[in-house]
Amino acid sequence: MKRILILFAHPKFEQSRANRMLVNKIQGDSTLTFHDLYERYPHFHIDVNFEKELLLEHDVVIWHHPLYWYSCPPLMKQWIDMVLEYGWAYGPGGDALQSKKCLQVITTGGTKKVYCSEGKNVYSVNQFLRPFEQTARLCGMQYLPPYAVMGTHSLSEIELESHADQYLQIIDCLKNGQPVANLSECVFQDDIPQFNSNTLS
Amino acid sequence: MTGSILFEAIVFLAGAVICVPLAKRFGLSSVLGYLIAGIVIGPFLLGFVGEEGENIMHFAEFGVVMMLFLIGLEIEPKNFWQMRKTIVGMGGAQVGGTMLVSFLLFQLFDFDWTVSLTFSMAVALSSTAITLQSLKENGQFNTTYGASSFSILLFQDIIVILMLGMLPLLADTDSNTVTDDHGTASSLLDNLPMGFQTLAIVASVIIVVLAGRYLFVPMLRGVANTRVRELLTASALLIVLGIAFLMEMVGLSPALGAFLGGVVLANSEFKHELESTLEPFKDLLLGLFFMAVGASINFIVISENPVMVTSLVIGVIALKAIVLYAVAVIFKLKMDQRLLLTVGLAQIGEFAFVLLSFAFQIKILDKVQLDLMSVVTAITMTLTPVLAIVNERFILPHFGTKAIDDRPMDEIGEANKVILVGFGHFGSTVGRFLRAYGVEPTILDFDSNRVDLLRKMGFKVYYGDATRLDLLKSAGIENADILISAVDSPEITFNLVKGVKKYYPNVKLMVRAKNRYDAYELLDLGVENIYRESLDTSVKMASDVLAQMGFRRYTISRQAEIFKTQDEESMRRLAALPNDGESYIFKAREEMAQQEKLLEEDLKRGQITNDNHWDSEQMRMIIE
C-alpha cells in the first residue's frame, strides 16, 4: 500500500465550506497523513527537517489548497521555498523525491466557464498551475493531472458531498497504485504535456 | 601663614577651584590650570605654600600610582602581552637614544661623567602623570599616538628601577663616604645581597598576580555582598595602597606594581566599579601633584642662572623631541601622530625628582646641580601643555590629517556599541539572544553572585550600580549606540533613563517596563522604545488558550498581533490624557479607572468578528 501525505494549506479553514467537506471526508481514513500547514505553522516558521522526514516517509504527496489570486496561499509557497532544498529535492544529488507522485487538489470560487479563453480569467486552471507542475517535475516527481473543485460558492451541499466522495476515490486509487485517470467521473484538468515518462500511470 | 593642615587644604582646593576653570575657559588643559595654581600659591608668589611643597608632592605622587592602576584595569593581560614588542622597542629606543645624546651633550659642557650620566637618566624620563592625563582628557588613548606614548612611559617606569639601582654604583667611584649614607635609601632590601633582591622582586610580582586572582576578587565579592557601598571604596583603596606598599618595600616602583595589579583585575567583574570608585581620588591627587610641581619651581635658582636655566630647558625639550621624532619615524607613525608624540613626551618626568634627590643623597650631585635640574624638570613639565597648544593650533593644522586614527595599535579594548543594564531573568534573555546573534553587549549588573555565576558560564558581565553616571561612563556610554535597560526596579529604571536622557541624549534607549503605569512614566520621560514585560507573554498565553479550545492558530496569531498593536495605541492615547496629579495613595483607584477605560475601548472596537479575509460566506452572499 502506498503511503499518502496531504499537505493542506488554508488560512481561514474555519470559514471554508467546500474544504471542510473535503477534509472531513478524508480525515476519517487513519492510513493517510493529513498535515495542516496553517495550524502547524501559524508564524510561518517551517520546521524543514520535520517536513523532509515526512516527505521521505510517503510515496504520494498531495498539495491541497484553495486557489487564491491564481496561485496557492502564501504558506504553501513558503513550504515550497523552504523544504524543496537545492541538493536535496533538486540539483546535484537532489533525488530525495525521485519518482514520488504529486497530486494537486484545489478549490476555486470561479466556475470552469470562467477559467477558459472565453471566460473572464482567460486561462485554464492548468495554465495557472504550470509553476507547480514544473516544480514537481524539477524534483523528479510525477505530476498527476490536478483535481479541481470549481465554482464552490454556488455548489450545493449534495454536489460538494459528491466531490468529497470523488476525492476519497482518488486517494483509494493512489493508495493501491491504480491509475487515477481510470476514474471516469472525476473532473481532472488533464492537459499535462508528455515528456520522458508516462505521467498518467 | 602656613602650618595647619586645614589651612593648607583650603589653599590647595581654592587654588584648584579658581585656576582650573579659568584655564578651561581659555581652552587650556586642566593640567596647565593646576600647574599655574601651584605657581601662584607657591613660595615665590603668594607664599601660602612653603618648603612642605615637596612633602605634598611625595604624597600626591600617589595619584600617579592610582592612575597606573586604573590604566592597568583598561588593559587585559592578553592585550598587554601583545604590546610587549612596542613597549620594549619604542621605549628602549627612546630611553637609549635620549640618554646617549644627552650624556654626550652634558659631557661637552664639562660636567663630571657621573653627573652627566645621572642628568641623562633624568632627561630620558617623561611625565606619566601629565601625558596620560592629557591623553584621557582629549580622548586620545586609543590612537596610535596614545598607545605609543603609553608603551614608552611603561618602559620608563620599568627602567627607572634599574636606574635607581645603578646610582649607588656610580657613587662608589666618586666618594668613599657613600657606604655610610647607603642605609638611608628607602628600600629595606638594600642591605641584602643582589641575588636575594632580585628574588624578592620576582616574588613580589608573583604575589601581586596571585593576590589579584585569588585574594582581591573573592574579597571584593564578599564586600559586594554586604551591599555597603563605602566598603567597596575602602577595599579599592586598600588594594592599591597594599600593592604600592609591597612594591616600595622591595624597591620596585609603586606605580608599576599598581599597573600590574590593574592588569590582573582587568578581567574581573569589578573592573568598572573599581574604575568609578578610584577615579575621583586619582583626579584629586593628580591635581594636587600638579600643583605641588608648580609650587616647587624655584624662582631664586632661575633668577640666579637665567641663561643657564633657559638654555637647559630649551636644550632638553629640543633634544627629547628630536629623539622622539626619530623613534616615531622608525616605528612608522603617521605625520600627525608623530608630532603629537614628539611634543607630548618632550618633558622631564616626576621620576626625575626621585632620581635626582637620591643622587643628591648619595652625593653624586651637589645642591646647586640638584636645584638646577629640579627647576628644569618642573619648567619642562609646565611647558608641556603650552607646547601641546602651540602644536595643536599652529603646527598640526598644516598637516591636514588631524582626524583621529581610531584603530588602536595594540588593541586596547574598545567599548561595545550596546550596553545592557540588568542581567536578571529579563536581561539575560535579551543578552543571550544578542550574543547568539554575535552581538556582545557590555553588561552591567549589581548582583555580584549572579555576576559570578554568569562569568563562570563565559559571559562578560560587570558588577556595578548603573544609575551612577561615572560607571556608565567607564562602561563606554560615550561610544555606545544603544542602551538597553532590563532593570527590574522601576525606580532604578527611571533614574537611569533620566540620567542618560540628560547627559547622553544621543544614546538610543530601549527600556523594559513592568506594566502600563511604568510605561506611562517612561513615555512622560520621552522614551520611545518601551517593552512591557506583561504584554507579549500574556497575549501568547491567551492565544494558546484559544488554540486549546479549537480555534485555528493562524487566525489567532493574526488577531494577537492586531490586539497588541491596538493595546499599544491605547496606551499611548491614555498616557497623553492629563493626570489628575493625585498622590500614590489613590493609585489603586486610579488603576481601576484605567482598567475601565481600557475595557471601554475594547468594547467600542467590538468583538473580533470583523475579520473578513478569505471569507467565502460573504462571497457566497454577494454571488447569490
Side-chain angles (χ1 to χ4, degrees):
Chain A
M1 197 174 74
K2 304 283 182 201
R3 295 158 301 175
I4 296 176
L5 170 66
I6 297 157
L7 295 168
F8 177 69
H10 199 305
K12 202 74 173 282
F13 180 45
E14 62 267 51
Q15 284 175 19
S16 166
R17 204 169 59 102
N19 279 291
R20 214 181 309 139
M21 188 72 87
L22 294 177
V23 170
N24 278 349
K25 208 71 169 187
I26 56 166
Q27 262 184 335
D29 187 343
S30 58
T31 62
L32 304 171
T33 307
F34 182 79
H35 188 32
D36 186 345
L37 290 178
Y38 270 94
E39 188 67 4
R40 175 70 188 259
Y41 304 119
H43 303 287
F44 277 53
H45 184 63
I46 289 171
D47 183 345
V48 175
N49 287 329
F50 174 78
E51 293 299 318
K52 281 181 177 175
E53 273 171 36
L54 214 52
L55 284 171
L56 291 177
E57 285 165 11
H58 295 84
D59 308 301
V60 179
V61 179
I62 296 177
W63 289 332
H64 179 171
H65 61 83
L67 197 68
Y68 288 149
W69 286 106
Y70 317 113
S71 187
C72 62
L75 185 56
M76 184 81 236
K77 179 62 165 63
Q78 178 84 339
W79 182 93
I80 291 170
D81 291 354
M82 301 295 290
V83 180
L84 303 181
E85 273 178 3
Y86 178 78
W88 186 80
Y90 71 104
D95 55 2
L97 304 176
Q98 211 60 239
S99 71
K100 288 187 195 297
K101 283 176 189 157
C102 179
L103 172 72
Q104 203 156 12
V105 175
I106 60 168
T107 56
T108 68
T111 56
K112 197 166 186 185
K113 270 183 260 166
V114 182
Y115 284 95
C116 68
S117 53
E118 288 82 31
K120 66 175 177 189
N121 284 335
V122 182
Y123 300 104
S124 73
V125 161
N126 276 79
Q127 286 169 308
F128 286 120
L129 293 181
R130 288 286 186 252
F132 298 94
E133 174 198 323
Q134 179 52 25
T135 300
R137 187 173 293 119
L138 190 65
C139 297
M141 291 194 283
Q142 280 185 353
Y143 186 76
L144 304 173
Y147 177 73
V149 179
M150 304 185 74
T152 50
H153 301 314
S154 41
L155 288 179
S156 69
E157 292 294 309
I158 296 156
E159 284 168 317
L160 275 175
E161 178 117 35
S162 89
H163 275 291
D165 285 336
Q166 286 186 350
Y167 191 10
L168 207 56
Q169 269 184 301
I170 297 167
I171 286 171
D172 269 341
C173 281
L174 289 168
K175 237 195 276 185
N176 301 321
Q178 293 160 351
V180 288
N182 294 356
L183 296 166
S184 51
E185 288 146 48
C186 289
V187 195
F188 287 110
Q189 314 292 312
D190 186 10
D191 71 339
I192 308 298
Q194 303 292 304
F195 291 103
N196 305 334
S197 58
N198 180 16
T199 47
L200 293 177
S201 61
Chain B
M1 279 290 259
T2 59
S4 101
I5 292 179
L6 213 56
F7 179 74
E8 264 176 43
I10 288 170
V11 166
F12 274 99
L13 291 175
V17 169
I18 293 166
C19 289
V20 176
L22 269 178
K24 277 267 159 194
R25 187 168 191 145
F26 291 109
L28 308 172
S29 74
S30 65
V31 177
L32 195 57
Y34 282 120
L35 286 165
I36 292 169
I39 294 172
V40 171
I41 60 174
F44 303 97
L45 270 177
L46 298 181
F48 287 143
V49 181
E51 289 302 308
E52 72 276 11
E54 264 177 46
N55 293 333
I56 286 168
M57 180 151 34
H58 199 71
F59 170 68
E61 261 167 31
F62 202 70
V64 182
V65 174
M66 276 196 185
M67 180 165 64
L68 273 152
F69 180 76
L70 291 173
I71 289 163
L73 277 180
E74 293 281 341
I75 299 173
E76 295 188 8
K78 71 169 192 288
N79 295 341
F80 182 46
W81 189 240
Q82 281 167 2
M83 286 174 72
R84 67 194 187 278
K85 279 184 192 147
T86 329
I87 295 172
V88 175
M90 291 191 93
Q94 187 270 335
V95 172
T98 314
M99 273 184 70
L100 185 69
V101 179
S102 54
F103 177 72
L104 293 176
L105 273 175
F106 285 121
Q107 282 292 76
L108 271 181
F109 284 100
D110 263 354
F111 283 104
D112 191 82
W113 77 269
T114 49
V115 176
S116 301
L117 193 57
T118 311
F119 279 1
S120 67
M121 283 179 191
V123 169
L125 302 171
S126 305
S127 170
T128 310
I130 287 181
T131 311
L132 292 189
Q133 183 68 14
S134 63
L135 280 181
K136 279 258 164 191
E137 209 166 295
N138 301 331
Q140 289 166 320
F141 214 86
N142 280 350
T143 64
T144 322
Y145 150 59
S148 309
S149 307
F150 181 66
S151 302
I152 291 174
L153 290 166
L154 209 57
F155 183 81
Q156 291 177 355
D157 276 2
I158 299 166
I159 212 76
V160 77
I161 303 151
L162 273 178
M163 290 176 172
L164 287 169
M166 268 175 63
L167 279 180
L169 303 178
L170 294 179
D172 279 339
T173 63
D174 193 48
S175 126
N176 305 327
T177 59
V178 175
T179 36
D180 301 339
D181 285 350
H182 207 119
T184 61
S186 56
S187 166
L188 113 172
L189 295 169
D190 277 357
N191 297 324
L192 295 169
M194 203 56 180
F196 194 80
Q197 275 190 44
T198 321
L199 206 68
I201 288 170
V202 173
S204 59
V205 169
I206 292 172
I207 287 172
V208 169
V209 173
L210 289 182
R213 284 266 157 80
Y214 302 108
L215 179 68
F216 296 158
V217 172
M219 178 181 88
L220 286 169
R221 270 182 206 142
V223 165
N225 276 340
T226 64
R227 304 215 172 239
V228 181
R229 169 155 293 289
E230 64 271 20
L231 269 189
L232 211 61
T233 312
S235 36
L237 286 172
L238 181 65
I239 288 171
V240 179
L241 284 167
I243 294 173
F245 180 72
L246 178 72
M247 288 296 145
E248 225 155 38
M249 213 166 69
V250 297
L252 271 179
S253 138
L256 192 70
F259 172 74
L260 196 66
V263 171
V264 174
L265 287 172
N267 269 339
S268 85
E269 69 267 32
F270 296 100
K271 172 181 167 178
H272 290 309
E273 191 70 17
L274 284 173
E275 270 176 359
S276 50
T277 308
L278 289 178
E279 196 89 24
F281 289 98
K282 178 211 81 177
D283 290 341
L284 259 182
L285 283 172
L286 273 185
L288 191 58
F289 172 75
F290 294 134
M291 284 193 280
V293 170
S296 77
I297 295 178
N298 191 332
F299 286 90
I300 295 167
V301 175
I302 299 174
S303 62
E304 277 167 2
N305 306 298
V307 182
M308 184 76 167
V309 171
T310 316
S311 53
L312 263 177
V313 167
I314 295 171
V316 161
I317 291 179
L319 186 152
K320 290 200 74 165
I322 290 166
V323 173
L324 281 164
Y325 191 85
V327 170
V329 171
I330 294 167
F331 283 85
K332 300 195 176 75
L333 263 64
K334 281 198 279 177
M335 192 59 192
D336 56 329
Q337 306 281 319
R338 216 185 279 169
L339 283 171
L340 283 168
L341 183 74
T342 301
V343 174
L345 293 182
Q347 75 294 100
I348 306 183
E350 57 275 6
F351 281 121
F353 293 122
V354 181
L355 202 75
L356 292 169
S357 51
F358 183 50
F360 171 69
Q361 269 174 36
I362 58 176
K363 303 201 169 148
I364 297 174
L365 303 178
D366 57 37
K367 182 82 176 112
V368 178
Q369 287 165 333
L370 171 70
D371 283 348
L372 184 69
M373 213 50 197
S374 296
V375 163
V376 171
T377 302
I379 294 177
T380 57
M381 280 168 87
T382 313
L383 283 180
T384 306
V386 182
L387 285 176
I389 291 163
V390 173
N391 184 34
E392 204 173 291
R393 305 230 172 123
F394 302 105
I395 302 175
L396 274 182
H398 297 289
F399 293 95
T401 46
K402 184 75 185 77
I404 290 168
D405 182 3
D406 45 17
R407 227 190 51 231
M409 187 166 67
D410 290 300
E411 321 288 327
I412 293 175
E414 266 197 286
N416 291 321
K417 295 286 183 202
V418 178
I419 296 176
L420 171 57
V421 180
F423 209 76
H425 302 297
F426 194 98
S428 60
T429 310
V430 177
R432 275 169 49 216
F433 188 47
L434 288 178
R435 197 194 200 204
Y437 230 83
V439 175
E440 284 280 355
T442 300
I443 296 164
L444 299 177
D445 197 279
F446 69 171
D447 183 335
S448 72
N449 288 331
R450 185 192 294 150
V451 169
D452 184 26
L453 171 76
L454 287 164
R455 284 175 58 78
K456 276 191 197 133
M457 313 282 275
F459 283 93
K460 214 172 179 181
V461 192
Y462 293 107
Y463 170 76
D465 172 2
T467 54
R468 290 175 51 190
L469 285 171
D470 48 349
L471 184 69
L472 282 174
K473 203 171 162 189
S474 27
I477 193 167
E478 279 158 332
N479 303 318
D481 296 326
I482 296 173
L483 183 134
I484 304 167
S485 163
V487 178
D488 190 58
S489 146
E491 280 69 39
I492 296 179
T493 307
F494 298 147
N495 284 338
L496 176 68
V497 165
K498 278 180 206 154
V500 174
K501 273 267 165 199
K502 183 163 179 198
Y503 295 102
Y504 304 101
N506 293 329
V507 177
K508 181 168 272 171
L509 275 166
M510 307 187 89
V511 186
R512 163 194 183 185
K514 286 219 83 102
N515 51 43
R516 83 174 42 244
Y517 309 105
D518 291 345
Y520 291 155
E521 291 214 25
L522 288 168
L523 278 171
D524 241 24
L525 292 172
V527 179
E528 268 304 308
N529 303 298
I530 300 166
Y531 301 88
R532 277 182 288 157
E533 59 184 73
S534 49
L535 181 61
D536 286 63
T537 318
S538 39
V539 172
K540 187 175 183 332
M541 190 180 190
S543 300
D544 283 355
V545 170
L546 289 169
Q548 289 293 324
M549 292 169 67
F551 290 98
R552 299 275 298 169
R553 281 197 179 270
Y554 180 64
T555 310
I556 299 167
S557 82
R558 285 175 47 246
Q559 292 304 333
E561 287 309 311
I562 294 169
F563 182 84
K564 281 191 275 185
T565 312
Q566 288 174 343
D567 192 75
E568 201 78 6
E569 282 165 5
S570 67
M571 181 190 81
R572 277 162 204 273
R573 203 169 31 251
L574 293 179
L577 293 180
N579 213 320
D580 40 11
E582 278 185 279
S583 68
Y584 280 91
I585 305 167
F586 301 108
K587 198 169 179 191
R589 203 205 293 167
E590 198 179 320
E591 285 190 10
M592 278 310 295
Q594 286 273 4
Q595 199 71 262
E596 200 183 329
K597 277 181 205 155
L598 269 182
L599 292 171
E600 267 170 21
E601 289 224 349
D602 281 353
L603 269 181
K604 263 182 253 160
R605 260 198 302 274
Q607 209 186 326
I608 305 166
T609 46
N610 52 352
D611 178 11
N612 296 329
H613 298 279
W614 307 293
D615 192 341
S616 52
E617 294 297 322
Q618 275 210 336
M619 294 244 243
R620 262 171 75 84
M621 271 151 56
I622 294 162
I623 288 168
E624 281 163 5

